[in-house]
Amino acid sequence: MAEKSAAHVIIMGPQGAGKGTQAALIAPRLHLEHISTGDLFREVMAGDSELGQEIRSYVDRGALVPDALTIRMLMDHVDHVLGGESEMRGMLLDGFPRNQAQAEALDLALRERGDRLVSVVHVDVPRERLMERLTGRLVCPNCGATYHRGFNPPKVEGVCDVCGSSLIQRSDDTPEAVERRLSIYYEQTAPVLDYYRAKGLLLDVDGDRPIVDVSERIVEALLPKFDVD
Ligand code: ADP
Ligand code: AMP
């Protein structure tokens, strides 16, 4: 368990909305630790463990990893990064929760820790824009930076601006897996937005705008919410 109580933000939106892109820009400015369950899973999949193979069997076909495993892995990671010496206010959760059961498990975990949920940022992008964003996405397997072939290219083709590694396409950014992931999003994840809206926590942001405009809008809206501490 972390020793001090923390203040957290969730970033939600369909696959390709720009959650990872925005999280990398806003987390340092808000003193939050960016935690992506997708990144956690990709890290485990990169090793050759049995757990990695089990996780890959879900991720590569665009299915959700079972809730119990996801929640356990996430909370272990949160305890690890926010425990002890961390200077961060809390976490910026990206890719979690993805259904109502995960939202309720998170509520319980935060209550047990005595932590606060400050806001749930909903990055809204029309569905017809998402396929193009996802099939053109390039990611750095080393540092996690995200690019797009057309909309946000690296300075040198195929090379990460941040760490110089070779960029790759994600194994689940195929048209078939994207279709499946988006269907799951609209069926299971989008209803969770209403859960947070009812609690007065939802911040709707237009994600169909230039990357920097979106991050400015989010930071501007969130900063005052931390000042009430
Ligand atoms: P998510 O984490 O929500 O799945 P990403 O941050 O990985 O989304 O972004 C998906 C793709 O769209 C990436 O290739 C990224 O470079 C691109 N992208 C992100 N934000 C924008 C934007 N505002 N306009 C155009 N392309 C964007
Ligand atoms: P993402 O990087 O958020 O697009 O997630 C990539 C994949 O990881 C998803 O398609 C799922 O297979 C898995 N995943 C990530 N987060 C979760 C979650 N909260 N619950 C279940 N599966 C998840």
Side-chain angles (χ1 to χ4, degrees):
M1 287 287 265
E3 282 157 22
K4 50 187 190 286
S5 77
H8 309 292
V9 172
I10 299 174
I11 186 161
M12 291 184 71
Q15 286 77 4
K19 300 179 297 296
T21 302
Q22 293 303 326
L25 294 171
I26 67 174
R29 294 175 66 186
L30 297 168
H31 304 287
L32 296 173
E33 191 79 52
H34 175 206
I35 297 181
S36 147
T37 41
D39 285 349
L40 274 183
F41 290 142
R42 281 184 286 278
E43 230 166 82
V44 179
M45 290 190 309
D48 201 21
S49 62
E50 229 171 80
L51 178 62
Q53 285 170 18
E54 186 194 344
I55 289 173
R56 182 174 290 287
S57 72
Y58 299 102
V59 172
D60 276 358
R61 64 190 161 92
L64 290 186
V65 175
D67 287 344
L69 177 57
T70 302
I71 292 162
R72 178 159 46 82
M73 279 186 58
L74 172 66
M75 293 323 296
D76 283 354
H77 187 69
V78 170
D79 285 344
H80 176 68
V81 294
L82 293 184
E85 307 290 292
S86 176
E87 298 285 303
M88 296 295 178
R89 278 178 173 141
M91 41 182 181
L92 176 59
L93 261 187
D94 161 9
F96 187 97
R98 263 182 154 87
N99 57 33
Q100 185 63 29
Q102 291 186 6
E104 287 171 18
L106 181 64
D107 277 352
L108 182 66
L110 297 187
R111 243 195 330 272
E112 280 174 3
R113 298 169 62 94
D115 288 0
R116 180 164 78 95
L117 188 54
V118 173
S119 184
V120 178
V121 179
H122 169 213
V123 184
D124 198 11
V125 174
R127 186 168 183 163
E128 60 271 19
R129 291 261 192 282
L130 301 171
M131 182 61 82
E132 193 184 10
R133 282 197 183 188
L134 291 165
T135 52
R137 171 159 66 183
L138 294 170
V139 295
C140 176
N142 181 47
C143 74
T146 302
Y147 303 87
H148 189 280
R149 286 196 173 90
F151 306 141
N152 183 27
K155 293 192 181 84
V156 178
E157 196 183 328
V159 178
C160 180
D161 293 352
V162 181
C163 72
S165 301
S166 294
L167 300 176
I168 58 162
Q169 183 162 29
R170 272 172 50 171
S171 54
D172 59 348
D173 277 346
T174 58
E176 304 72 37
V178 166
E179 272 308 330
R180 176 158 198 174
R181 288 155 62 208
L182 287 174
S183 300
I184 294 174
Y185 175 81
Y186 290 106
E187 279 162 26
Q188 297 188 33
T189 310
V192 179
L193 296 171
D194 293 330
Y195 175 72
Y196 290 122
R197 200 184 300 281
K199 289 173 180 273
L201 288 171
L202 205 72
L203 173 73
D204 289 297
V205 174
D206 181 2
D208 193 13
R209 311 211 5 102
I211 291 172
V212 175
D213 291 8
V214 180
S215 46
E216 285 309 316
R217 163 85 184 98
I218 298 173
V219 170
E220 191 179 275
L222 288 190
L223 275 179
K225 295 184 193 285
F226 284 103
D227 287 344
V228 300
D229 276 344

